[in-house]
């Protein structure tokens, strides 16, 4: 059992989500940065899809009611265990009664805490993930929340040292493919998207990253019937300012999608923070 002493700005339980249910109106949800969650689980010997705690902007604190092996990945930030500093992207042991503290990330947005044995809150439709849009899964974690942990958290020592992780560039470049409604935009729209930098809006969240910058002009008017949406879709509302859909995006949408992120770029989009600049490349 672990206890959330302080959740920081936002802490949720996340795994790899609920794939395959979009036709029923159920979003996938899951970790915004799947790559970081998978790494955290591998470092402590869990299956890659085990549930972890996703912290937004760090600031969290967790007390361990039993000893456990843990790892923190994602946005790099100071990690302290009972007042002693520990690194990210490496397994470490927390004693019974120990307290793990997270600072504020120097760059990036979301960090992941994996505990050996996994977080074993009740699953909903096959996943333990919190979906902020639909309300499925456990609620965001408040101070005092107690999370059960699967067996084996305090077993044999882990011999992995540290996993190298790429540093997020100051201005990430996200690779995009033409979207299914690229023909709804002028010929200059993709050139505009892939030439000028955009800035992340403070209104961004796990549903989507809203961007400020040059608007994308449409070549045709009218309304688009709702159609399926994928993670990484770059949707353009009437303002012309793009939105990148993240893990908690709706299953359908009625605004045209001008482009879709390449899969390798989605983790970088998930780590974008308000005020940061970002570029697109075809």
């Amino acid at each position: 059992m672990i206890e959330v002493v302080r959740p920081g700005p936002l802490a949720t339980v996340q795994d790899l989500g609920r794939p395959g249910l979009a036709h029923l109106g159920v979003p996938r949800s899951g970790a915004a940065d799947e790559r970081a969650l998978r790494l955290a689980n591998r470092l402590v010997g869990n299956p890659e899809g085990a549930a972890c705690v996703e912290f937004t902007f760090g600031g969290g604190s967790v007390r361990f009611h039993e000893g456990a092996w843990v790892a923190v990945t994602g946005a790099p930030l100071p990690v302290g265990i009972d007042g002693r500093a520990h690194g990210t992207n490496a397994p470490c042991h927390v004693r019974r009664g120990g307290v793990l503290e997270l600072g504020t990330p120097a760059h990036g947005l979301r960090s992941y805490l994996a505990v050996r044995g996994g977080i074993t809150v009740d699953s909903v439709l096959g996943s333990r993930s919190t979906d902020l849009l639909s309300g499925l899964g456990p609620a965001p974690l408040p101070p005092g929340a107690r999370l059960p942990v699967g067996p084996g958290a305090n077993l044999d020592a882990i011999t992995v040292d540290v996993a190298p992780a790429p540093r997020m560039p100051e201005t990430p470049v996200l690779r995009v493919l033409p979207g299914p409604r690229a023909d709804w935009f002028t010929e200059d729209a993709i050139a505009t998207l892939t030439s000028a930098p955009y800035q992340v809006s403070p209104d961004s969240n796990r549903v989507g990253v809203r961007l400020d910058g040059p608007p994308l002009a449409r070549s045709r008017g009218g309304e688009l019937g709702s159609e399926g949406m994928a993670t990484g879709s770059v949707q353009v509302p009437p303002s012309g300012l793009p939105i990148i859909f993240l893990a908690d995006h709706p299953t359908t949408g009625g605004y045209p999608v001008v482009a879709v992120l390449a899969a390798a770029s989605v983790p970088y989009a998930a780590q974008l923070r308000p005020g940061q600049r970002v570029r697109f490349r075809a």
Side-chain angles (χ1 to χ4, degrees):
M1 181 77 68
I2 65 174
E3 177 184 352
V4 177
V5 178
R6 188 176 64 251
L10 176 66
T12 60
V13 176
Q14 299 294 341
D15 53 22
L16 295 180
R18 302 176 178 87
L21 299 177
H23 65 294
L24 301 176
V26 178
R28 174 166 181 160
S29 189
D33 185 347
E34 280 192 12
R35 182 173 60 189
L37 178 133
R38 290 176 185 272
L39 175 59
N41 277 318
R42 291 200 305 270
L43 286 170
V44 296
N46 287 342
E48 286 192 349
C52 300
V53 181
E54 179 185 277
F55 290 93
T56 301
F57 269 130
S61 176
V62 178
R63 178 177 291 111
F64 288 75
H65 290 202
E66 300 292 338
W69 283 92
V70 303
V72 177
T73 62
L77 75 180
V79 178
I81 298 175
D82 293 335
R84 298 184 60 182
H86 286 265
T88 57
N89 302 316
C92 54
H93 189 266
V94 184
R95 65 173 178 83
R96 180 177 184 176
V99 176
L100 180 145
E101 301 267 356
L102 300 179
T104 302
H107 53 87
L109 183 63
R110 297 180 172 92
S111 304
Y112 295 83
L113 169 64
V115 182
R116 191 173 191 179
I119 305 299
T120 56
V121 297
D122 292 339
S123 65
V124 177
L125 296 177
S127 170
R128 298 181 167 95
S129 287
T130 299
D131 185 333
L132 298 181
L133 183 65
S134 71
L136 291 173
L141 301 175
R146 296 193 172 195
L147 304 175
V149 175
N154 199 28
L155 291 180
D156 298 340
I158 295 174
T159 57
V160 174
D161 184 5
V162 62
R167 180 180 174 85
M168 186 170 184
E170 184 175 346
T171 302
V173 178
L174 308 180
R175 303 298 294 264
V176 293
L177 303 171
R181 298 299 177 184
D183 59 337
W184 279 53
F185 296 84
T186 65
E187 293 183 0
D188 295 336
I190 288 292
T192 299
L193 180 69
T194 56
S195 58
Y198 285 82
Q199 188 171 44
V200 178
S201 164
D203 294 331
S204 303
N205 55 26
R206 279 179 46 87
V207 177
V209 179
R210 293 180 177 271
L211 300 174
D212 293 324
L216 304 180
R218 283 172 55 168
S219 60
R220 56 185 292 185
E223 297 295 326
L224 177 68
S226 290
E227 54 190 7
M229 291 289 149
T231 301
S233 295
V234 181
Q235 191 187 62
V236 184
S239 67
L241 298 178
I243 303 169
I244 306 171
F245 274 165
L246 295 183
D248 286 355
H249 69 82
T251 56
T252 61
Y255 297 134
V257 173
V258 66
V260 180
L261 297 191
S265 289
V266 173
Y268 290 100
Q271 294 292 357
L272 291 171
R273 54 201 299 172
Q276 186 172 7
R277 286 161 52 119
V278 61
R279 288 182 173 273
F280 296 90
R281 179 177 300 163

